[in-house]
mmCIF file of all heavy atoms in Angstrom:
data_model
loop_
_atom_site.group_PDB
_atom_site.id
_atom_site.type_symbol
_atom_site.label_atom_id
_atom_site.label_comp_id
_atom_site.label_asym_id
_atom_site.label_seq_id
_atom_site.Cartn_x
_atom_site.Cartn_y
_atom_site.Cartn_z
ATOM 1 N N GLU A 190 -17.933 -2.339 -5.977
ATOM 2 C CA GLU A 190 -17.500 -2.124 -4.647
ATOM 3 C C GLU A 190 -17.915 -3.302 -3.696
ATOM 4 O O GLU A 190 -17.151 -3.773 -2.903
ATOM 5 C CB GLU A 190 -18.031 -0.835 -4.072
ATOM 6 C CG GLU A 190 -17.368 0.349 -4.632
ATOM 7 C CD GLU A 190 -18.107 1.684 -4.233
ATOM 8 O OE1 GLU A 190 -19.374 1.746 -4.223
ATOM 9 O OE2 GLU A 190 -17.418 2.593 -3.727
ATOM 10 N N LYS A 191 -19.070 -3.820 -4.018
ATOM 11 C CA LYS A 191 -19.435 -4.980 -3.169
ATOM 12 C C LYS A 191 -18.560 -6.189 -3.326
ATOM 13 O O LYS A 191 -18.150 -6.808 -2.407
ATOM 14 C CB LYS A 191 -20.944 -5.400 -3.546
ATOM 15 C CG LYS A 191 -21.961 -4.352 -3.189
ATOM 16 C CD LYS A 191 -23.390 -4.720 -3.640
ATOM 17 C CE LYS A 191 -24.443 -3.707 -3.189
ATOM 18 N NZ LYS A 191 -25.800 -4.041 -3.670
ATOM 19 N N GLN A 192 -18.154 -6.383 -4.534
ATOM 20 C CA GLN A 192 -17.159 -7.393 -4.802
ATOM 21 C C GLN A 192 -15.878 -7.165 -4.224
ATOM 22 O O GLN A 192 -15.237 -7.988 -3.522
ATOM 23 C CB GLN A 192 -17.058 -7.621 -6.292
ATOM 24 C CG GLN A 192 -15.998 -8.776 -6.778
ATOM 25 C CD GLN A 192 -15.834 -8.918 -8.134
ATOM 26 O OE1 GLN A 192 -16.170 -8.002 -8.945
ATOM 27 N NE2 GLN A 192 -15.355 -10.069 -8.582
ATOM 28 N N LEU A 193 -15.379 -5.851 -4.265
ATOM 29 C CA LEU A 193 -14.153 -5.440 -3.754
ATOM 30 C C LEU A 193 -14.165 -5.580 -2.204
ATOM 31 O O LEU A 193 -13.146 -6.073 -1.565
ATOM 32 C CB LEU A 193 -13.867 -4.005 -4.036
ATOM 33 C CG LEU A 193 -12.555 -3.284 -3.659
ATOM 34 C CD1 LEU A 193 -11.339 -3.983 -4.202
ATOM 35 C CD2 LEU A 193 -12.619 -1.794 -3.870
ATOM 36 N N PHE A 194 -15.210 -5.154 -1.533
ATOM 37 C CA PHE A 194 -15.264 -5.191 -0.065
ATOM 38 C C PHE A 194 -15.307 -6.545 0.452
ATOM 39 O O PHE A 194 -14.873 -6.911 1.435
ATOM 40 C CB PHE A 194 -16.420 -4.311 0.396
ATOM 41 C CG PHE A 194 -16.274 -2.874 0.055
ATOM 42 C CD1 PHE A 194 -17.443 -2.119 -0.153
ATOM 43 C CD2 PHE A 194 -15.040 -2.230 -0.136
ATOM 44 C CE1 PHE A 194 -17.389 -0.794 -0.506
ATOM 45 C CE2 PHE A 194 -15.020 -0.872 -0.544
ATOM 46 C CZ PHE A 194 -16.170 -0.206 -0.633
ATOM 47 N N GLY A 195 -16.040 -7.458 -0.384
ATOM 48 C CA GLY A 195 -16.034 -8.941 -0.015
ATOM 49 C C GLY A 195 -14.669 -9.501 0.016
ATOM 50 O O GLY A 195 -14.258 -10.220 0.924
ATOM 51 N N GLN A 196 -13.878 -9.188 -1.037
ATOM 52 C CA GLN A 196 -12.567 -9.574 -1.091
ATOM 53 C C GLN A 196 -11.639 -9.082 -0.104
ATOM 54 O O GLN A 196 -10.755 -9.792 0.442
ATOM 55 C CB GLN A 196 -11.984 -9.264 -2.536
ATOM 56 C CG GLN A 196 -12.604 -10.031 -3.731
ATOM 57 C CD GLN A 196 -12.205 -9.519 -5.091
ATOM 58 O OE1 GLN A 196 -11.501 -8.432 -5.086
ATOM 59 N NE2 GLN A 196 -12.501 -10.253 -6.092
ATOM 60 N N SER A 197 -11.887 -7.847 0.229
ATOM 61 C CA SER A 197 -10.938 -7.171 1.221
ATOM 62 C C SER A 197 -11.123 -7.741 2.610
ATOM 63 O O SER A 197 -10.304 -7.646 3.466
ATOM 64 C CB SER A 197 -11.262 -5.709 1.187
ATOM 65 O OG SER A 197 -12.427 -5.330 1.739
ATOM 66 N N PHE A 198 -12.364 -8.314 2.926
ATOM 67 C CA PHE A 198 -12.548 -8.898 4.280
ATOM 68 C C PHE A 198 -11.794 -10.207 4.216
ATOM 69 O O PHE A 198 -11.254 -10.576 5.286
ATOM 70 C CB PHE A 198 -13.995 -9.144 4.531
ATOM 71 C CG PHE A 198 -14.208 -9.898 5.743
ATOM 72 C CD1 PHE A 198 -13.972 -9.364 7.020
ATOM 73 C CD2 PHE A 198 -14.577 -11.258 5.647
ATOM 74 C CE1 PHE A 198 -13.999 -10.169 8.141
ATOM 75 C CE2 PHE A 198 -14.767 -11.948 6.894
ATOM 76 C CZ PHE A 198 -14.469 -11.424 8.077
ATOM 77 N N ALA A 199 -11.934 -11.003 3.283
ATOM 78 C CA ALA A 199 -11.282 -12.286 3.254
ATOM 79 C C ALA A 199 -9.770 -12.134 3.101
ATOM 80 O O ALA A 199 -9.326 -11.466 2.190
ATOM 81 C CB ALA A 199 -11.708 -13.123 2.014
ATOM 82 N N PRO A 200 -8.941 -12.497 4.169
ATOM 83 C CA PRO A 200 -7.530 -12.161 4.148
ATOM 84 C C PRO A 200 -6.855 -12.690 2.862
ATOM 85 O O PRO A 200 -7.039 -13.903 2.426
ATOM 86 C CB PRO A 200 -6.989 -12.898 5.399
ATOM 87 C CG PRO A 200 -8.225 -12.929 6.305
ATOM 88 C CD PRO A 200 -9.424 -13.167 5.382
ATOM 89 N N GLN A 201 -6.018 -11.814 2.250
ATOM 90 C CA GLN A 201 -5.282 -12.211 1.071
ATOM 91 C C GLN A 201 -3.913 -12.695 1.531
ATOM 92 O O GLN A 201 -3.462 -12.409 2.631
ATOM 93 C CB GLN A 201 -5.165 -11.002 0.136
ATOM 94 C CG GLN A 201 -6.413 -10.335 -0.204
ATOM 95 C CD GLN A 201 -7.264 -11.225 -1.105
ATOM 96 O OE1 GLN A 201 -6.871 -11.615 -2.218
ATOM 97 N NE2 GLN A 201 -8.525 -11.504 -0.651
ATOM 98 N N ALA A 202 -3.268 -13.495 0.632
ATOM 99 C CA ALA A 202 -1.998 -14.010 0.951
ATOM 100 C C ALA A 202 -1.049 -12.897 1.279
ATOM 101 O O ALA A 202 -0.920 -11.928 0.496
ATOM 102 C CB ALA A 202 -1.457 -14.809 -0.317
ATOM 103 N N ALA A 203 -0.335 -12.988 2.408
ATOM 104 C CA ALA A 203 0.482 -11.891 2.852
ATOM 105 C C ALA A 203 1.828 -12.323 3.129
ATOM 106 O O ALA A 203 2.876 -11.897 2.571
ATOM 107 C CB ALA A 203 -0.090 -11.041 4.027
ATOM 108 N N GLY A 204 1.901 -13.321 4.080
ATOM 109 C CA GLY A 204 3.258 -13.713 4.581
ATOM 110 C C GLY A 204 4.075 -14.399 3.415
ATOM 111 O O GLY A 204 3.661 -15.306 2.797
ATOM 112 N N GLY A 205 5.280 -13.849 3.277
ATOM 113 C CA GLY A 205 6.217 -14.465 2.299
ATOM 114 C C GLY A 205 6.094 -13.986 0.903
ATOM 115 O O GLY A 205 6.934 -14.346 0.004
ATOM 116 N N ASP A 206 5.019 -13.285 0.610
ATOM 117 C CA ASP A 206 4.887 -12.650 -0.810
ATOM 118 C C ASP A 206 4.875 -11.136 -0.727
ATOM 119 O O ASP A 206 3.920 -10.551 -0.219
ATOM 120 C CB ASP A 206 3.496 -13.125 -1.380
ATOM 121 C CG ASP A 206 3.369 -12.796 -2.854
ATOM 122 O OD1 ASP A 206 4.196 -11.939 -3.409
ATOM 123 O OD2 ASP A 206 2.402 -13.287 -3.488
ATOM 124 N N PHE A 207 5.945 -10.558 -1.156
ATOM 125 C CA PHE A 207 6.165 -9.095 -1.005
ATOM 126 C C PHE A 207 5.968 -8.364 -2.295
ATOM 127 O O PHE A 207 6.367 -7.322 -2.430
ATOM 128 C CB PHE A 207 7.588 -8.914 -0.474
ATOM 129 C CG PHE A 207 7.757 -9.329 0.934
ATOM 130 C CD1 PHE A 207 8.324 -10.588 1.241
ATOM 131 C CD2 PHE A 207 7.342 -8.571 2.047
ATOM 132 C CE1 PHE A 207 8.400 -11.112 2.526
ATOM 133 C CE2 PHE A 207 7.513 -9.045 3.268
ATOM 134 C CZ PHE A 207 7.989 -10.344 3.602
ATOM 135 N N ARG A 208 5.414 -9.072 -3.282
ATOM 136 C CA ARG A 208 5.128 -8.409 -4.613
ATOM 137 C C ARG A 208 3.963 -7.471 -4.465
ATOM 138 O O ARG A 208 2.862 -7.902 -3.924
ATOM 139 C CB ARG A 208 4.953 -9.458 -5.697
ATOM 140 C CG ARG A 208 6.137 -10.350 -5.921
ATOM 141 C CD ARG A 208 5.731 -11.569 -6.888
ATOM 142 N NE ARG A 208 4.643 -12.312 -6.291
ATOM 143 C CZ ARG A 208 4.037 -13.379 -6.972
ATOM 144 N NH1 ARG A 208 4.472 -13.549 -8.242
ATOM 145 N NH2 ARG A 208 3.165 -14.093 -6.471
ATOM 146 N N THR A 209 4.050 -6.293 -5.018
ATOM 147 C CA THR A 209 2.899 -5.328 -4.900
ATOM 148 C C THR A 209 2.407 -4.928 -6.274
ATOM 149 O O THR A 209 1.221 -4.569 -6.425
ATOM 150 C CB THR A 209 3.319 -4.051 -4.100
ATOM 151 O OG1 THR A 209 4.271 -3.393 -4.931
ATOM 152 C CG2 THR A 209 3.895 -4.372 -2.807
ATOM 153 N N GLY A 210 3.225 -5.093 -7.344
ATOM 154 C CA GLY A 210 2.822 -4.513 -8.608
ATOM 155 C C GLY A 210 2.678 -3.145 -8.635
ATOM 156 O O GLY A 210 1.931 -2.504 -9.487
ATOM 157 N N MET A 211 3.315 -2.316 -7.720
ATOM 158 C CA MET A 211 3.169 -0.917 -7.618
ATOM 159 C C MET A 211 4.415 -0.165 -8.047
ATOM 160 O O MET A 211 5.544 -0.644 -7.898
ATOM 161 C CB MET A 211 2.872 -0.477 -6.216
ATOM 162 C CG MET A 211 1.596 -1.033 -5.578
ATOM 163 S SD MET A 211 1.361 -0.631 -3.894
ATOM 164 C CE MET A 211 -0.030 -1.622 -3.429
ATOM 165 N N ARG A 212 4.198 1.028 -8.599
ATOM 166 C CA ARG A 212 5.222 1.986 -8.861
ATOM 167 C C ARG A 212 5.279 2.971 -7.637
ATOM 168 O O ARG A 212 4.417 2.943 -6.807
ATOM 169 C CB ARG A 212 4.804 2.825 -10.088
ATOM 170 C CG ARG A 212 3.657 3.607 -9.905
ATOM 171 C CD ARG A 212 3.097 4.100 -11.220
ATOM 172 N NE ARG A 212 3.552 5.481 -11.581
ATOM 173 C CZ ARG A 212 3.309 6.082 -12.676
ATOM 174 N NH1 ARG A 212 2.473 5.474 -13.559
ATOM 175 N NH2 ARG A 212 3.704 7.247 -12.940
ATOM 176 N N LEU A 213 6.343 3.773 -7.561
ATOM 177 C CA LEU A 213 6.284 4.852 -6.644
ATOM 178 C C LEU A 213 5.238 5.903 -7.061
ATOM 179 O O LEU A 213 4.939 6.029 -8.213
ATOM 180 C CB LEU A 213 7.712 5.575 -6.549
ATOM 181 C CG LEU A 213 8.735 4.684 -5.895
ATOM 182 C CD1 LEU A 213 10.246 5.263 -6.198
ATOM 183 C CD2 LEU A 213 8.538 4.635 -4.397
ATOM 184 N N PRO A 214 4.676 6.611 -6.106
ATOM 185 C CA PRO A 214 3.563 7.467 -6.413
ATOM 186 C C PRO A 214 3.915 8.844 -7.077
ATOM 187 O O PRO A 214 3.384 9.839 -6.717
ATOM 188 C CB PRO A 214 2.913 7.793 -5.017
ATOM 189 C CG PRO A 214 4.072 7.757 -4.128
ATOM 190 C CD PRO A 214 5.039 6.649 -4.659
ATOM 191 N N PHE A 215 4.766 8.728 -8.126
ATOM 192 C CA PHE A 215 5.033 9.927 -8.993
ATOM 193 C C PHE A 215 5.514 9.371 -10.337
ATOM 194 O O PHE A 215 5.403 8.175 -10.537
ATOM 195 C CB PHE A 215 6.110 10.765 -8.374
ATOM 196 C CG PHE A 215 7.398 10.138 -7.912
ATOM 197 C CD1 PHE A 215 8.504 9.948 -8.849
ATOM 198 C CD2 PHE A 215 7.603 9.594 -6.644
ATOM 199 C CE1 PHE A 215 9.646 9.323 -8.501
ATOM 200 C CE2 PHE A 215 8.734 8.927 -6.315
ATOM 201 C CZ PHE A 215 9.820 8.841 -7.125
ATOM 202 N N ALA A 216 5.834 10.263 -11.264
ATOM 203 C CA ALA A 216 5.998 9.739 -12.548
ATOM 204 C C ALA A 216 7.107 8.755 -12.795
ATOM 205 O O ALA A 216 8.209 8.999 -12.277
ATOM 206 C CB ALA A 216 6.186 11.068 -13.546
ATOM 207 N N THR A 217 6.900 7.733 -13.587
ATOM 208 C CA THR A 217 7.883 6.741 -13.979
ATOM 209 C C THR A 217 8.946 7.455 -14.654
ATOM 210 O O THR A 217 8.726 8.176 -15.663
ATOM 211 C CB THR A 217 7.254 5.568 -14.718
ATOM 212 O OG1 THR A 217 6.276 4.947 -13.921
ATOM 213 C CG2 THR A 217 8.341 4.631 -15.137
ATOM 214 N N GLY A 218 10.178 7.198 -14.230
ATOM 215 C CA GLY A 218 11.354 7.894 -14.928
ATOM 216 C C GLY A 218 11.778 9.093 -14.329
ATOM 217 O O GLY A 218 12.817 9.684 -14.650
ATOM 218 N N ALA A 219 11.123 9.514 -13.323
ATOM 219 C CA ALA A 219 11.475 10.762 -12.533
ATOM 220 C C ALA A 219 12.039 10.311 -11.270
ATOM 221 O O ALA A 219 11.995 9.179 -10.790
ATOM 222 C CB ALA A 219 10.241 11.629 -12.216
ATOM 223 N N SER A 220 12.877 11.298 -10.594
ATOM 224 C CA SER A 220 13.478 10.968 -9.321
ATOM 225 C C SER A 220 13.011 11.988 -8.326
ATOM 226 O O SER A 220 12.925 13.197 -8.594
ATOM 227 C CB SER A 220 15.004 11.167 -9.467
ATOM 228 O OG SER A 220 15.547 10.170 -10.212
ATOM 229 N N TRP A 221 12.641 11.558 -7.142
ATOM 230 C CA TRP A 221 12.185 12.312 -5.989
ATOM 231 C C TRP A 221 13.044 11.967 -4.874
ATOM 232 O O TRP A 221 13.634 10.872 -4.722
ATOM 233 C CB TRP A 221 10.711 12.072 -5.710
ATOM 234 C CG TRP A 221 9.685 12.720 -6.546
ATOM 235 C CD1 TRP A 221 9.903 13.156 -7.848
ATOM 236 C CD2 TRP A 221 8.257 12.993 -6.202
ATOM 237 N NE1 TRP A 221 8.646 13.726 -8.271
ATOM 238 C CE2 TRP A 221 7.728 13.669 -7.369
ATOM 239 C CE3 TRP A 221 7.527 12.821 -5.064
ATOM 240 C CZ2 TRP A 221 6.428 14.057 -7.320
ATOM 241 C CZ3 TRP A 221 6.248 13.169 -5.053
ATOM 242 C CH2 TRP A 221 5.681 13.812 -6.190
ATOM 243 N N SER A 222 13.014 12.866 -3.837
ATOM 244 C CA SER A 222 13.772 12.753 -2.631
ATOM 245 C C SER A 222 12.935 11.911 -1.647
ATOM 246 O O SER A 222 11.732 11.976 -1.702
ATOM 247 C CB SER A 222 14.060 14.114 -1.986
ATOM 248 O OG SER A 222 14.639 13.893 -0.712
ATOM 249 N N MET A 223 13.622 11.158 -0.759
ATOM 250 C CA MET A 223 12.876 10.476 0.277
ATOM 251 C C MET A 223 13.308 11.130 1.618
ATOM 252 O O MET A 223 14.286 10.652 2.309
ATOM 253 C CB MET A 223 13.358 9.015 0.371
ATOM 254 C CG MET A 223 12.669 8.176 1.373
ATOM 255 S SD MET A 223 13.097 6.417 1.361
ATOM 256 C CE MET A 223 14.852 6.441 1.744
ATOM 257 N N PRO A 224 12.629 12.233 1.990
ATOM 258 C CA PRO A 224 12.955 12.931 3.189
ATOM 259 C C PRO A 224 12.923 11.977 4.528
ATOM 260 O O PRO A 224 13.585 12.286 5.470
ATOM 261 C CB PRO A 224 11.981 14.023 3.428
ATOM 262 C CG PRO A 224 11.375 14.086 2.034
ATOM 263 C CD PRO A 224 11.439 12.780 1.328
ATOM 264 N N GLY A 225 11.965 11.076 4.437
ATOM 265 C CA GLY A 225 11.763 10.167 5.624
ATOM 266 C C GLY A 225 11.690 8.731 5.129
ATOM 267 O O GLY A 225 10.844 8.413 4.372
ATOM 268 N N GLY A 226 12.580 7.839 5.658
ATOM 269 C CA GLY A 226 12.572 6.507 5.400
ATOM 270 C C GLY A 226 11.447 5.860 6.143
ATOM 271 O O GLY A 226 10.655 6.376 6.736
ATOM 272 N N PRO A 227 11.360 4.460 6.040
ATOM 273 C CA PRO A 227 10.252 3.758 6.678
ATOM 274 C C PRO A 227 9.952 4.142 8.086
ATOM 275 O O PRO A 227 10.844 4.240 8.946
ATOM 276 C CB PRO A 227 10.690 2.265 6.548
ATOM 277 C CG PRO A 227 11.547 2.243 5.328
ATOM 278 C CD PRO A 227 12.253 3.523 5.281
ATOM 279 N N HIS A 228 8.712 4.455 8.366
ATOM 280 C CA HIS A 228 8.216 4.897 9.631
ATOM 281 C C HIS A 228 6.769 4.516 9.836
ATOM 282 O O HIS A 228 6.083 4.141 8.837
ATOM 283 C CB HIS A 228 8.409 6.412 9.926
ATOM 284 C CG HIS A 228 7.910 7.251 8.848
ATOM 285 N ND1 HIS A 228 8.488 7.516 7.645
ATOM 286 C CD2 HIS A 228 6.635 7.991 8.865
ATOM 287 C CE1 HIS A 228 7.721 8.376 6.958
ATOM 288 N NE2 HIS A 228 6.673 8.670 7.714
ATOM 289 N N GLY A 229 6.165 4.653 10.955
ATOM 290 C CA GLY A 229 4.805 4.382 11.157
ATOM 291 C C GLY A 229 3.877 5.314 10.501
ATOM 292 O O GLY A 229 4.295 6.473 10.220
ATOM 293 N N TRP A 230 2.533 4.887 10.338
ATOM 294 C CA TRP A 230 1.607 5.775 9.777
ATOM 295 C C TRP A 230 1.496 7.035 10.666
ATOM 296 O O TRP A 230 1.304 8.184 10.244
ATOM 297 C CB TRP A 230 0.268 5.136 9.592
ATOM 298 C CG TRP A 230 -0.929 6.105 9.324
ATOM 299 C CD1 TRP A 230 -1.957 6.317 10.031
ATOM 300 C CD2 TRP A 230 -1.122 6.780 8.061
ATOM 301 N NE1 TRP A 230 -2.743 7.258 9.391
ATOM 302 C CE2 TRP A 230 -2.251 7.537 8.186
ATOM 303 C CE3 TRP A 230 -0.366 6.892 6.901
ATOM 304 C CZ2 TRP A 230 -2.737 8.291 7.158
ATOM 305 C CZ3 TRP A 230 -0.865 7.608 5.832
ATOM 306 C CH2 TRP A 230 -1.989 8.344 5.987
ATOM 307 N N ALA A 231 1.649 6.854 12.002
ATOM 308 C CA ALA A 231 1.615 7.916 12.903
ATOM 309 C C ALA A 231 2.821 8.424 13.412
ATOM 310 O O ALA A 231 3.012 9.251 14.364
ATOM 311 C CB ALA A 231 0.715 7.447 14.193
ATOM 312 N N GLY A 232 3.917 8.010 12.715
ATOM 313 C CA GLY A 232 5.274 8.574 13.054
ATOM 314 C C GLY A 232 6.145 7.400 13.600
ATOM 315 O O GLY A 232 6.779 6.648 12.792
ATOM 316 N N THR A 233 6.255 7.316 14.865
ATOM 317 C CA THR A 233 7.159 6.272 15.423
ATOM 318 C C THR A 233 6.451 4.965 15.806
ATOM 319 O O THR A 233 7.041 4.109 16.369
ATOM 320 C CB THR A 233 7.757 6.836 16.812
ATOM 321 O OG1 THR A 233 6.746 7.272 17.718
ATOM 322 C CG2 THR A 233 8.596 8.054 16.500
ATOM 323 N N ASP A 234 5.163 4.972 15.539
ATOM 324 C CA ASP A 234 4.361 3.669 15.735
ATOM 325 C C ASP A 234 4.802 2.602 14.811
ATOM 326 O O ASP A 234 5.529 2.801 13.818
ATOM 327 C CB ASP A 234 2.891 3.894 15.689
ATOM 328 C CG ASP A 234 2.457 4.309 14.214
ATOM 329 O OD1 ASP A 234 3.116 5.211 13.681
ATOM 330 O OD2 ASP A 234 1.531 3.770 13.732
#
Side-chain angles (χ1 to χ4, degrees):
E190 287 175 311
K191 290 176 181 180
Q192 181 180 17
L193 179 66
F194 299 151
Q196 292 173 348
S197 66
F198 171 73
Q201 305 293 302
D206 188 348
F207 293 94
R208 299 172 299 172
T209 67
M211 296 178 191
R212 63 196 270 175
L213 288 166
F215 52 89
T217 298
S220 294
W221 280 23
S222 172
M223 180 177 66
H228 55 280
W230 172 249
T233 58
D234 62 314

